[in-house]
Amino acid sequence: MSAQIILKPKVQLGVVTTHFKFVGGIVPDEEGKFPRDENGDLRVLSEMKKLCVISPVKMNIVQLPFFSTADPVEVAEIIQGLVVLGLEVHFIIMVGGANPMNPSDENAVVAQLVSSLKAAIKHGIRHVSSTSIEEWMSTDAAREGAAFEAAIAQNVKVHMRVYEEAGVAGSCVENWHIEFLRPGEFRTFTNVDRGWSFVKAANKSLGKKFFKLLVDAAHCGDSGLSIAENEDLIQQIAAAEELGVFHASAKTTRGCLSTDDGWIGALLTAAAKTGELKYVFVEVFDHTDPALELVRQLDPGHGIDTRDGRSYPEVTADGLGEIARRLNNLQARGILKA
């Protein structure tokens, strides 16, 4: 299918490469090798080629989950293949097996992040994202009060070390976008305000607005704050020059964007009104992905099949079309610049 929708505003649009599963799709094996399809091609590339063909709008960015254990040769092949498709690659760095808030885990977290940032610099990546402020699915209690401030301070220490040890200063990396997760996936940094608390502290320590807050509509919708509260905070974050990447993803189901109950439209518009909306990624997850079993246990809504007879590439392509229309109409209404 040739692109039927021409993206009009000065906003870049693409996807996070999650719709074809972590397990069997984008997670490298113990030797760092990535899954391949029946033809022997890297699945990341074959699936993105497929999506580029069926998408009703031409994408210009892609966010690639990056694992520090990945085989460097295959990483280079994937990045080059995505560039050939006309996509600028963003990294979303994955950290596992250690808690950034715990001083005892500091070296383990730093090692993973330094390796990943060095890879980003090697490949000319301008924007990296991560959930590197808390361990995913930890059973630790939520940190409040003085413990919350200590968690922020430890996270700042970790990220300042990484910035220095990876040689980020003066490199191609322009911004580091920090993502908070919904309650349950995280326990402490679980909403826009809490995520922003770290970003503010990190930028103050660094002395410039290098860190940004990644706003994921799904996590906002599941965070416990209302749409109005999120809209107000988005305005404040943008005014502070700390608003980053936007994820257009449906709360709870993380499937078809029609299941988000209005969160994507409201928060996308709020971000657009600030004049700071630059990067929008559609993010869809396969409801059967073995890697997300813990999320299905956390909330059975995550396991609902929202495809309505479509394949996941088709669901994702439909999401791209919907978001492109929204962006174009935000431009038509004078909210986004042409």
Side-chain angles (χ1 to χ4, degrees):
M1 178 189 297
S2 59
Q4 301 168 331
I5 304 170
I6 305 300
L7 189 63
K8 298 175 183 177
K10 292 181 179 179
V11 175
Q12 292 188 296
L13 176 62
V15 298
V16 187
T17 60
T18 51
H19 62 279
F20 48 92
K21 297 184 181 180
F22 279 95
V23 175
I26 53 179
V27 177
D29 63 19
E30 294 180 353
E31 296 180 351
K33 302 295 185 180
F34 287 89
R36 293 180 180 268
D37 62 20
E38 61 277 7
N39 297 317
D41 298 323
L42 291 163
R43 279 206 69 207
V44 173
L45 294 180
S46 59
E47 291 291 342
M48 284 306 299
K49 288 176 184 177
K50 183 188 306 179
L51 184 61
C52 285
V53 170
I54 67 173
S55 175
V57 60
K58 180 176 173 55
M59 293 176 282
N60 41 35
I61 50 176
V62 61
Q63 196 170 49
L64 178 71
F66 183 84
F67 300 84
S68 61
T69 58
D71 180 88
V73 175
E74 291 196 351
V75 168
E77 182 181 349
I78 288 171
I79 292 172
Q80 182 56 38
L82 293 171
V83 170
V84 168
L85 292 174
L87 303 170
E88 179 181 357
V89 178
H90 289 217
F91 277 179
I92 183 160
I93 297 168
M94 314 301 287
V95 177
N99 193 335
M101 298 188 291
N102 291 341
S104 60
D105 286 348
E106 179 178 320
N107 288 338
V109 175
V110 168
Q112 292 181 57
L113 289 173
V114 167
S115 175
S116 299
L117 265 295
K118 284 184 175 180
I121 293 167
K122 175 182 177 181
H123 293 289
I125 305 298
R126 296 191 304 131
H127 293 276
V128 300
S129 299
S130 68
T131 59
S132 54
I133 51 176
E134 190 167 342
E135 185 175 18
W136 187 64
M137 286 292 180
S138 169
T139 57
D140 291 353
R143 303 193 185 193
E144 305 291 349
F148 180 62
E149 295 303 321
I152 292 173
Q154 179 60 27
N155 268 316
V156 170
K157 183 183 178 184
V158 164
H159 289 78
M160 292 304 104
R161 274 191 61 187
V162 173
Y163 186 89
E164 178 67 25
E165 293 176 26
V168 175
S171 74
C172 59
V173 180
E174 297 176 10
N175 290 115
W176 188 341
H177 306 256
I178 299 295
E179 182 177 10
F180 66 92
L181 300 184
R182 58 179 290 175
E185 292 187 68
F186 276 2
R187 293 184 179 273
T188 295
F189 294 97
T190 54
N191 61 38
V192 167
D193 194 32
R194 284 175 165 253
W196 187 28
S197 294
F198 164 74
V199 168
K200 284 187 287 188
N203 283 335
K204 182 178 180 181
S205 178
L206 191 60
K208 61 180 180 180
K209 306 290 182 149
F210 174 72
F211 291 92
K212 305 283 186 177
L213 185 68
L214 188 157
V215 174
D216 183 306
H219 297 315
C220 290
D222 287 320
S223 72
L225 298 182
S226 68
I227 285 179
E229 287 171 319
N230 277 282
E231 289 172 328
D232 181 58
L233 283 161
I234 286 170
Q235 190 279 325
Q236 293 180 51
I237 294 165
E241 301 178 44
E242 292 172 330
L243 182 65
V245 162
F246 186 92
H247 278 179
S249 192
K251 75 182 188 73
T252 307
T253 69
R254 309 308 300 276
C256 179
L257 303 195
S258 65
T259 67
D260 82 318
D261 300 328
W263 282 86
I264 293 172
L267 299 192
L268 186 66
T269 299
K273 286 179 178 178
T274 70
E276 296 296 319
L277 180 65
K278 298 177 181 178
Y279 308 102
V280 179
F281 293 96
V282 171
E283 185 177 37
V284 171
F285 293 100
D286 187 315
H287 71 289
T288 66
D289 190 341
L292 302 174
E293 176 58 30
L294 290 177
V295 186
R296 292 190 288 275
Q297 293 177 20
L298 175 69
D299 189 332
H302 193 83
I304 295 173
D305 185 351
T306 64
R307 291 174 295 173
D308 197 23
R310 297 164 294 172
S311 66
Y312 270 107
E314 290 169 336
V315 170
T316 307
D318 285 347
L320 283 163
E322 176 183 335
I323 297 303
R325 295 289 190 199
R326 287 186 179 278
L327 292 170
N328 281 350
N329 282 314
L330 286 166
Q331 183 266 323
R333 294 153 60 195
I335 296 171
L336 283 177
K337 294 181 179 180

